[in-house]
Amino acid sequence: MRDEEQARRGAGEVAPLPSWAVWTGALGWWLADAFVAVSQVRILQRLGEAKAPEEELWRMSLTSSLLWVPITVLCLRLSERVPLGRRGGARALVAHGAALLGVLFGRAAFVMLTQDLVGWYERMPSVPDLLAQSVANNLLPFVLLTAGAHALGLARRAHVRQRRADQLQAQLAEARLQALASQLRPHFLFNALNAVASLVHVDPDGAERMLARLGDLLRQSLESHGRQEVTLREELAALTPYLDIEQIRFGPRLQVAWSLAPDVMEARVPFLALQPLVENAIRHGLAPRAEPGRIEITAEREGTVLRLSVRDDGMGPPPEGPVRVGGVGLSNLRARLVTLYGPRAGLELRRGTPRGAVAELRVPLDDIHEGERVAA
């Protein structure tokens, strides 16, 4: 449920504050302001520095303060929807400028219309003087409210950014552990070492290459340098030792075909995104049967999306019922996609045609760097 909510909002968004909290907070703040204002005037009255009837004092203070409640909500909502910043700065300036003019003219009109009811002035000033007074009284509070709303938004985005970064680190660590656990699985190691033993006398160079690839595989599982994303070229380099070992293990039973578009090789993908897909295809699609099998790994651009697919012609999902969503490795990959890209990325498992299974991974192609994406 939490992942779905995050996906709905998108990776770079912060959920708006709930309306009840905004209105309650604004009402409480401005009621306190009215109480403080009345208290200050009463102190001056005791000192003989001011004179105002008690009822009139409360009426004016409460009316003026409560009028700021919807304005405060307006400032908060505007800062959430059109924050002042580098992106969309002109649009944000227009929106906040229009809101400021609305507040200045609106409060002046309100004073004019409620003069007889509230008694703001002993004698109503002219319209230009009333507007000048509105600017003097309301400009600074509006600017401070807008600045406070933006400061609150920045603090909330910083909190979300830190929480997302922590979450990504935890997910990456789990992915690394899953990959390492997969490679240290006794069955995998036994078969890998058995393949080495069978090559020692007939193909010493091949046995040496096999041991080197096994070392590469374990080293790459431990060395991510904390990066959540790598280029597709680096991801394929990390996958190659695993596939080399599996091809030596399976021999002619496993064929691997690559179809990689040159223009996507530098695209960024989550680190260790392909290995669980390939491992899933080998373990559940090809290993259970004796016939030769084939895995096709495809990478291509589709508009603004990078589409990676791992297709096998193995056992495939059962013909009846929904396709399983996958094990721990694929669940972890889905969670990382949600955290990194929100609804712009996805992972789908489906039946292959005419048989086998297809795992399709879609990630956005854009110019946002990893740090900016986490910070968004």
Side-chain angles (χ1 to χ4, degrees):
M1 185 67 187
R2 187 176 177 181
D3 289 346
E4 292 175 359
E5 182 184 355
Q6 191 171 8
R8 180 177 56 80
R9 293 200 308 264
E13 297 182 10
V14 176
L17 289 168
S19 295
W20 67 266
V22 172
W23 282 98
T24 303
L27 181 62
W29 174 269
W30 287 109
L31 282 177
D33 177 78
F35 179 78
V36 170
V38 170
S39 300
Q40 291 174 337
V41 174
R42 294 179 70 177
I43 292 174
L44 292 175
Q45 286 178 329
R46 291 177 185 174
L47 298 175
E49 298 292 335
K51 295 181 180 179
E54 184 79 8
E55 181 181 353
E56 179 182 332
L57 177 62
W58 275 107
R59 185 171 62 246
M60 292 179 61
S61 296
L62 281 176
T63 304
S64 177
S65 293
L66 292 180
L67 195 56
W68 278 105
V69 173
I71 298 173
T72 303
V73 176
L74 171 68
C75 292
L76 280 170
R77 292 309 189 204
L78 271 181
S79 71
E80 291 173 346
R81 296 186 180 183
V82 282
L84 293 167
R86 288 178 297 178
R87 295 179 180 176
R91 176 170 171 260
L93 279 176
V94 170
H96 287 275
L100 173 60
L101 291 177
V103 168
L104 297 179
F105 283 99
R107 284 186 68 95
F110 182 82
V111 168
M112 186 181 297
L113 294 174
T114 58
Q115 165 65 19
D116 295 337
L117 182 64
V118 181
W120 300 100
Y121 298 95
E122 292 185 1
R123 188 178 61 184
M124 192 66 186
S126 64
V127 172
D129 289 341
L130 188 61
L131 288 175
Q133 190 67 35
S134 179
V135 172
N137 291 341
N138 302 315
L139 177 60
L140 182 59
F142 183 88
V143 171
L144 292 177
L145 280 176
T146 300
H150 279 77
L152 178 62
L154 288 173
R156 295 183 67 223
R157 282 192 287 275
H159 173 72
V160 169
R161 180 174 64 241
Q162 184 59 48
R163 188 177 62 184
R164 186 174 298 140
D166 294 342
Q167 188 178 3
L168 282 171
Q169 287 298 328
Q171 289 169 347
L172 178 60
E174 186 176 347
R176 291 170 58 193
L177 284 175
Q178 286 294 327
L180 188 60
S182 172
Q183 290 146 16
L184 292 178
R185 188 177 295 118
H187 185 68
F188 176 84
L189 282 179
F190 172 79
N191 285 292
L193 294 176
N194 193 41
V196 173
S198 66
L199 290 173
V200 166
H201 298 293
V202 298
D203 186 5
D205 292 339
E208 186 176 349
R209 287 196 301 272
M210 179 78 172
L211 286 175
R213 302 310 274 169
L214 189 58
D216 291 342
L217 180 65
L218 297 178
R219 187 184 69 253
Q220 288 177 354
S221 299
L222 295 171
E223 294 180 356
S224 69
H225 305 290
R227 290 188 298 170
Q228 294 290 342
E229 293 177 303
V230 295
T231 64
L232 178 59
R233 190 184 304 280
E234 292 172 310
E235 178 67 10
L236 294 173
L239 176 65
T240 300
Y242 175 77
L243 268 177
D244 287 347
I245 293 172
E246 294 290 44
Q247 283 189 288
I248 294 173
R249 283 181 51 204
F250 284 87
R253 286 179 54 207
L254 174 60
Q255 299 177 0
V256 179
W258 302 83
S259 177
L260 308 173
D263 61 336
V264 298
M265 294 303 291
E266 302 305 321
R268 288 181 293 276
V269 298
F271 180 55
L272 293 177
L274 277 177
Q275 181 165 324
L277 306 184
V278 175
E279 180 190 350
N280 196 60
I282 294 176
R283 287 185 60 197
H284 302 294
L286 303 181
R289 68 177 196 175
E291 296 85 1
R294 176 184 174 91
I295 290 179
E296 297 178 11
I297 301 173
T298 304
E300 60 185 357
R301 176 189 293 269
E302 190 174 277
T304 59
V305 172
L306 170 63
R307 190 167 67 87
L308 299 169
S309 66
V310 177
R311 179 187 301 270
D312 70 80
D313 59 355
M315 302 292 287
E320 303 295 335
V323 178
R324 292 182 58 190
V325 297
V328 176
L330 297 189
S331 298
N332 178 273
L333 178 56
R334 284 193 176 89
R336 293 173 62 204
L337 292 174
V338 169
T339 308
L340 274 170
Y341 311 106
R344 298 186 301 159
L347 173 62
E348 179 188 6
L349 287 180
R350 62 175 184 268
R351 296 181 180 87
T353 304
R355 62 180 182 178
V358 179
E360 184 172 288
L361 173 65
R362 302 170 70 88
V363 296
L365 285 169
D366 54 34
D367 296 327
I368 300 176
H369 296 287
E370 179 181 325
E372 295 175 345
R373 194 193 312 285
V374 173

